[in-house]
């Protein structure tokens, strides 16, 4: 399976500001020597060696993650503003069939759907899953005057909503899907997707808008079927530890707790996700370094820590 990040920010879309762009240019110039500017080859080498926070960006779109299985089954996690880019620049599904799993229906996780081109394709089919009632109502309420110029009636008529439970083991296009309820205002749900090819099974977990509690570290049935021994975990890590204490009950976790959680559940790799909108690329890079240090020296298990960034692909 392949996982692609279209949106990784939390709470609200956060484009780069002019001041942030200028700071990146200034930081690059300060590092440049006369030798670096000697010719095109030295310039390219200089650019390639710049820190990622200078040369690139984590991205400013709210959550949307696309999973494509080996058999071409597609699952889309959430429909934040990142799903617009998926419609504009992604590879359309050959049969125009999209399976969507929603963690919850806060605005930053649904606001991109009215801008998703394929939603207006009369041949497109959407199977939308979550444990929430009134899913269609939640999706359509943001598409009424005066908030939006067209209603949900303008979208594909082939939209099927499926209410699921944490006890269900779903078969979605040959993929095994399970979910778990997490701590977040109004509830949020994490999903595990397993793909079996031959005698090998690969597992991916999407867990955003999660405020980790001591109960999440206990090996209970309602958590183990989603998190135990997963290959890759995408996990909400919006805060520093200090912020997590100050913002208790806001529904998000710190990067330290995220690393501890991955180690507890024997998860090999974790991608820090749902980034704080007030953090710029330099701040997020420093958080990644701290999380990597914490994983290497402060936990009993080795966990590979990465930063979820727009445009990034994970191949399992």
């Amino acid at each position: 399976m392949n996982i692609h990040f279209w949106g990784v920010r939390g709470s609200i879309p956060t484009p780069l500001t002019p001041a942030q762009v200028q700071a990146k240019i200034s930081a690059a110039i300060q590092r440049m020597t006369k030798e670096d500017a000697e010719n095109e080859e030295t310039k390219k080498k200089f650019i390639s060696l710049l820190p990622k926070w200078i040369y690139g960006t984590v991205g400013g779109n709210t959550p949307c993650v696309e999973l494509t299985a080996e058999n071409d089954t597609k699952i889309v996690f959430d429909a934040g503003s990142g799903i617009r880019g998926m419609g504009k620049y992604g590879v359309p599904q050959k049969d125009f069939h999209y399976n969507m799993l929603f963690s919850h229906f806060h605005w930053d996780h649904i606001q991109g759907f009215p801008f998703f081109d394929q939603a207006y394709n009369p041949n497109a089919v959407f199977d939308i899953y979550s444990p929430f009632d009134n899913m269609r109502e939640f999706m359509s309420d943001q598409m009424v005057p005066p908030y939006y110029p067209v209603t949900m009636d303008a979208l594909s008529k082939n939209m099927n909503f499926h209410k699921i439970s944490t006890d269900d083991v779903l078969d979605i296009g040959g993929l095994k899907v399970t979910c778990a309820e997490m701590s977040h205002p109004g509830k949020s749900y994490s999903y595990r997707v397993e793909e079996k090819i031959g005698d090998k099974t690969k597992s991916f977990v999407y867990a955003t808008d999660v405020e980790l509690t001591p109960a999440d570290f206990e090996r209970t049935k309602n958590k183990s079927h989603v998190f135990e021994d997963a290959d890759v975990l995408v996990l909400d890590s919006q805060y520093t530890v200090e912020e997590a204490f100050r913002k208790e009950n806001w529904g998000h976790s710190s990067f330290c707790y995220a690393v501890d959680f991955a180690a507890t559940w024997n998860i090999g790799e974790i991608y820090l996700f749902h980034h704080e909108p007030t953090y710029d690329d330099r701040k997020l890079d420093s958080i990644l370094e701290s999380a990597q240090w914490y994983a290497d020296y402060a936990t009993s298990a080795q966990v590979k820590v990465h930063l979820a960034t727009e445009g990034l692909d994970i191949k399992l």
Side-chain angles (χ1 to χ4, degrees):
M1 69 176 78
N2 187 80
I3 295 96
H4 184 89
F5 293 99
W6 292 102
V8 298
R9 287 278 177 176
S11 304
I12 190 169
T14 313
L16 283 172
T17 66
Q20 289 170 341
V21 174
Q22 291 163 14
K24 287 174 179 284
I25 295 171
S26 177
I29 291 174
Q30 289 174 19
R31 287 165 166 77
M32 196 170 198
T33 67
K34 182 179 179 180
E35 289 74 22
D36 292 325
E38 191 171 327
N39 54 54
E40 286 303 313
E41 186 176 339
T42 59
K43 290 176 184 177
K44 289 179 181 179
K45 182 179 179 181
F46 168 74
I47 291 172
S48 70
L49 295 176
L50 284 172
K52 289 183 178 179
W53 71 266
I54 296 178
Y55 183 56
T57 181
V58 166
N61 282 301
T62 56
C64 180
V65 178
E66 175 189 20
L67 181 153
T68 306
E70 291 295 322
N71 66 3
D72 206 39
T73 294
K74 192 177 295 294
I75 293 179
V76 181
F77 300 91
D78 286 336
S81 63
I83 202 171
R84 176 185 177 276
M86 178 181 164
K88 297 293 183 185
Y89 312 114
V91 178
Q93 191 69 349
K94 292 177 182 178
D95 60 358
F96 301 113
H97 184 196
Y98 295 87
N99 301 289
M100 303 191 71
L101 301 178
F102 279 89
S103 61
H104 62 313
F105 290 85
H106 285 169
W107 196 16
D108 53 325
H109 294 258
I110 65 172
Q111 64 191 168
F113 197 65
F115 300 91
F116 181 43
D117 290 347
Q118 292 300 328
Y120 297 87
N121 181 347
N123 298 316
V125 177
F126 291 85
D127 282 297
I128 299 171
Y129 301 83
S130 92
F132 289 90
D133 293 315
N134 305 319
M135 285 179 275
R136 177 182 286 274
E137 179 182 343
F138 295 157
M139 298 287 285
S140 63
D141 279 353
Q142 66 175 334
M143 297 181 67
V144 294
Y147 308 114
Y148 199 72
V150 298
T151 67
M152 198 165 175
D153 291 337
L155 305 186
S156 168
K157 301 300 186 290
N158 306 311
M159 290 201 181
N160 311 301
F161 292 84
H162 309 276
K163 182 182 178 182
I164 61 176
S165 80
T166 55
D167 294 325
D168 291 338
V169 179
L170 305 176
D171 183 333
I172 298 179
L175 304 177
K176 177 182 175 182
V177 178
T178 52
C179 69
E181 181 182 326
M182 310 302 291
S183 178
H184 188 73
K187 296 182 182 179
S188 181
Y189 291 84
S190 297
Y191 294 94
R192 179 188 184 112
V193 178
E194 294 184 2
E195 179 179 28
K196 188 171 183 179
I197 301 176
D199 59 351
K200 292 184 178 181
T201 299
K202 295 294 184 179
S203 53
F204 169 76
V205 176
Y206 177 79
T208 188
D209 292 66
V210 173
E211 184 166 358
L212 294 171
T213 68
D216 293 318
F217 292 80
E218 298 174 2
R219 276 179 159 68
T220 54
K221 181 182 177 182
N222 63 340
K223 292 291 191 298
S224 62
H225 73 298
V226 170
F227 296 106
E228 189 85 61
D229 299 327
D231 292 306
V232 169
L233 167 66
V234 169
L235 180 59
D236 183 320
S237 51
Q238 184 164 336
Y239 298 144
T240 62
V241 174
E242 184 270 336
E243 285 175 322
F245 279 118
R246 279 196 296 110
K247 298 180 178 181
E248 187 177 0
N249 298 321
W250 283 38
H252 304 285
S253 296
S254 77
F255 65 86
C256 290
Y257 299 160
V259 172
D260 287 336
F261 183 80
T264 296
W265 288 104
N266 192 37
I267 297 171
E269 296 189 58
I270 181 173
Y271 285 78
L272 308 181
F273 187 72
H274 202 271
H275 306 309
E276 166 63 35
T278 62
Y279 290 170
D280 62 15
D281 290 309
R282 187 169 191 173
K283 173 71 171 181
L284 289 170
D285 185 69
S286 70
I287 285 177
L288 174 61
E289 288 185 1
S290 297
Q292 289 172 332
W293 179 91
Y294 185 77
D296 289 340
Y297 298 105
T299 63
S300 58
Q302 293 298 306
V303 179
K304 294 181 181 179
V305 184
H306 312 276
L307 202 64
T309 61
E310 285 185 30
L312 178 67
D313 284 289
I314 306 170
K315 181 68 176 177
L316 285 179

